[in-house]
Amino acid sequence: MLKSKNSLGIIFFPAFDWAISPTHPERQERLLYTQDQLREEGLFDIEGITEYKPDVAAVEDVERVHFCFPDVPSVATRSHLISAGGAMKAGDLVMEGKTDRAFAMVRPPGHHAMKVVHGSRGFCTINIEAIMIEHIREKYGHKRIAIVDTDCHHGDGTQDIYWHDPDTLFISLHQDGRTLYPGTGFPRDLGGPNAMGRTLNIPLPPNTSDEGFLMAVERVVLPILEDFKPDLVINSAGQDNHFSDPITNMNFSAGGYAAMNDMLKPDIAVLEGGYSIQGALPYVNLGICLAMAGVDYSFVREPNYNAERIRQDARTTAYIEELCKQLPALYFDPPEFVSKGDSRQGVITGDRYVRHKQIYYDTDGINEVQQESVTLCKECRGLYKVETRADSGPLCLGVEIPVNACPECRAKGYQTVEDAQIKGTYRYIQLINRLDKEYLRYGF
C-alpha cells in the first residue's frame, strides 16, 4: 500500500441545501465531481490520508471575527456555519497533531466577507478562514499566521479583517483588479498604520500561466514567508485561476496548482473559488491533496490540457519579472504610513486612524457605508470601532477590544459601548472583547 509522507486530513462539505440558484456557479456540484474523482483515483486508499466530518461553528465563533448586523442568524445559514466548522475542524486536526496537514474542501466560500457583514458579496457571507484562525488563537494560544490567498479574485474580505493585525501576514496572488471583480488588491495597499507591510498584493495580468504564478511564489512569497516565520501557513485555495474557468481570464493548470502548493507547504488549505466544475476542480483538488500529502502528483492532467496553448507570452513574463523585483521591498522595507487626506486609504486624526468605506454586496444588492477608527496606542494594537449603515437601514456600531489590549483601551471600549447605549444613536451594538473572551450584543 502506498503511504503518504505527510498525514493529511480532508474535510468535505458540499452544502446540498445551499446555492445562490440552481444554475449559479456556486452550487453543490463544485464538490460532488471532486468527491467522485478523489475516490476513483484511490486517494483514500493511500495510508495517511483520511476523511473527516466537519464540525458546526457556533454563533460565538462567528462573532469572534465579524460584526454581523442585525445578528448572525439573520445573515448566515446553517450551511455557512458547517462550512466554517469544516475549516475549524482542519485547524483542530493540525493543532492537536492528529494530522500533519489538513484540507477543508467546503462551501460556501468566505474570502470576500469583510469585518462587517450585512449580507453576501462575491458569493461569500462569513469568512471561514478568519473564523478558523481566530478559533485556533482562542483555543491554542496566540499564533503568528501567514495567509496566502491563491484565488483568482482578490481576497478583499480577508485583507479587511486583518488590515490592522501585525501578527497576521496576508499575501494575495490574483488577477489584476483592473480586469476582474472585486476591483481591488493593488501593491499600494499595505495595511493600517500599526501593520504596514503585513498586507501584500501581487496582481498578475490576465493569461498568466504556470510560469508566472510559480515565479511570483518563488521570488516574492517564499522569501517573505521565510522572514516572517509564521507558526502556521494557511492557503486560501481558490482554483479559478485555471485556464478553463468560465468567469476568469488566467491560464493556470492543475499541475501548476500542485507545484505551487508543494512550494508553499501550507499547514492548512481551505477551498475558496473555482467554477470549472468538471474540467478543473476534480483535477486541481487531486493535485493539491497529493502535494499536501507528499505524494507524487506528476501524473495529474485535466482534459484539454495543452501546455503550448496556455503558455504566457513574453510581455506577460517581463511584466511579472518586474513585479517580482519591486514587490518584496514593500514587505522588507515598508514605507511609513503617511496621512494624505484620502479618507478611503485612511487618515490620522489626533490619536486615531480613520477610514471611510463604501462597500457593495453584489450577491445581495446591498450598499453599505461605514467609518472605522483605530486608536493609535503605544501599549497595544488599539481599540477598533466601526459605524455602519446598509442602504437606508439603521445605524449600527461595532467595538473590538484587541487580544493584547492595555487597561486604557479596554476601559475605553466599555465606555464607548456604554455611551452608545445611553445616547441611543445606534439600533444595534456589538462588542468583541478578545482580551476577556467576551462577546456581547445589544439591540434597541
Side-chain angles (χ1 to χ4, degrees):
M1 175 183 288
L2 182 62
K3 184 176 181 180
S4 64
K5 179 181 178 181
N6 310 307
S7 59
L8 174 67
I10 298 175
I11 301 95
F12 275 116
F13 180 62
F16 291 101
D17 61 344
W18 187 89
I20 294 173
S21 75
T23 57
H24 194 278
E26 183 51 67
R27 62 186 190 271
Q28 65 194 43
E29 284 85 358
R30 284 188 63 217
L31 284 179
L32 295 181
Y33 283 106
T34 288
Q35 203 168 24
D36 290 344
Q37 181 77 15
L38 298 188
R39 297 194 190 288
E40 287 176 11
E41 294 287 346
L43 186 74
F44 296 104
D45 295 329
I46 300 173
E47 184 180 348
I49 300 180
T50 308
E51 182 179 354
Y52 293 85
K53 301 300 181 186
D55 292 332
V56 183
V59 167
E60 183 176 289
D61 294 315
V62 181
E63 291 185 335
R64 191 179 294 125
V65 172
H66 291 293
F67 297 114
C68 292
F69 297 113
D71 55 26
V72 173
S74 298
V75 297
T77 67
R78 184 168 176 82
S79 286
H80 291 100
L81 298 179
I82 298 174
S83 182
M88 291 166 57
K89 181 71 171 184
D92 286 335
L93 289 172
V94 171
M95 294 305 300
E96 294 173 6
K98 294 179 180 177
T99 62
D100 297 323
R101 298 177 180 176
F103 187 3
M105 270 185 251
V106 296
R107 56 174 295 274
H111 77 149
H112 292 304
M114 295 185 170
K115 185 71 178 175
V116 175
V117 176
H118 289 280
S120 298
R121 56 186 307 277
F123 315 159
C124 303
T125 304
I126 56 176
N127 195 301
I128 59 178
E129 284 97 340
I131 290 169
M132 174 192 69
I133 288 167
E134 299 313 316
H135 163 75
I136 288 172
R137 285 172 164 166
E138 187 125 326
K139 187 173 180 180
Y140 304 102
H142 199 69
K143 308 292 181 187
R144 282 171 68 83
I145 291 178
I147 306 165
V148 183
D149 189 323
T150 53
D151 192 278
C152 194
H153 304 85
H154 174 234
D156 55 343
T158 310
Q159 174 176 291
D160 181 70
I161 290 169
Y162 291 109
W163 188 252
H164 302 288
D165 185 351
D167 294 326
T168 303
L169 172 66
F170 174 69
I171 301 176
S172 180
L173 297 94
H174 51 268
Q175 185 174 323
D176 195 312
R178 293 171 294 183
T179 66
L180 189 70
Y181 175 91
T184 55
F186 301 107
R188 67 173 181 267
D189 302 323
L190 296 172
N194 293 333
M196 286 291 285
R198 291 298 189 248
T199 292
L200 184 70
N201 287 299
I202 307 175
L204 299 172
N207 301 314
T208 297
S209 64
D210 294 14
E211 178 186 358
F213 278 99
L214 301 183
M215 180 193 302
V217 170
E218 180 181 12
R219 299 185 187 181
V220 182
V221 179
L222 294 185
I224 290 173
L225 290 177
E226 175 64 25
D227 180 81
F228 185 69
K229 293 179 171 55
D231 298 308
L232 290 170
V233 176
I234 313 298
N235 178 207
S236 291
Q239 300 170 16
D240 40 8
N241 286 298
H242 193 267
F243 64 82
S244 67
D245 198 275
I247 64 173
T248 60
N249 311 103
M250 297 301 235
N251 280 334
F252 211 21
S253 71
Y257 266 108
M260 180 169 64
N261 186 279
D262 198 14
M263 294 168 72
L264 291 173
K265 294 178 170 48
D267 299 284
I268 303 166
V270 180
L271 180 66
E272 280 295 339
Y275 305 100
S276 178
I277 293 172
Q278 292 177 274
L281 264 68
Y283 307 94
V284 174
N285 280 311
L286 174 62
I288 290 175
C289 288
L290 293 172
M292 293 188 77
V295 177
D296 176 48
Y297 53 81
S298 61
F299 66 90
V300 176
R301 284 288 182 275
E302 59 276 71
N304 302 317
Y305 173 77
N306 183 313
E308 288 302 316
R309 183 170 57 83
I310 64 173
R311 190 181 304 279
Q312 65 193 38
D313 59 26
R315 183 179 177 184
T316 298
T317 300
Y319 182 90
I320 296 172
E321 286 177 337
E322 187 61 29
L323 269 182
C324 291
K325 291 177 184 177
Q326 296 187 22
L327 290 179
L330 298 177
Y331 166 83
F332 287 103
D333 187 23
E336 183 178 349
F337 182 86
V338 178
S339 179
K340 298 180 179 179
D342 183 352
S343 61
R344 293 170 298 178
Q345 287 294 315
V347 297
I348 294 177
T349 305
D351 67 345
R352 295 189 310 146
Y353 164 88
V354 180
R355 183 167 61 150
H356 295 269
K357 291 185 284 185
Q358 292 183 313
I359 300 165
Y360 179 60
Y361 293 69
D362 57 298
T363 305
D364 283 350
I366 297 170
N367 286 288
E368 178 197 359
V369 293
Q370 64 171 253
Q371 175 181 291
E372 70 169 20
S373 65
V374 177
T375 304
L376 301 178
C377 180
K378 295 180 180 179
E379 305 298 326
C380 71
R381 195 177 299 167
L383 181 70
Y384 179 90
K385 172 185 172 183
V386 61
E387 297 174 293
T388 171
R389 188 194 305 270
D391 292 328
S392 57
L395 188 63
C396 306
L397 173 68
V399 177
E400 180 170 358
I401 297 170
V403 69
N404 66 337
C406 66
E408 184 178 346
C409 285
R410 180 182 182 276
K412 189 183 293 185
Y414 279 106
Q415 189 64 53
T416 300
V417 171
E418 184 178 335
D419 290 346
Q421 291 176 286
I422 294 171
K423 292 178 182 178
T425 307
Y426 307 99
R427 176 69 179 276
Y428 301 104
I429 301 171
Q430 184 181 340
L431 171 67
I432 300 175
N433 181 353
R434 295 303 305 276
L435 179 66
D436 303 303
K437 300 181 181 181
E438 185 176 29
Y439 309 100
L440 303 175
R441 176 177 294 281
Y442 307 92
F444 304 93

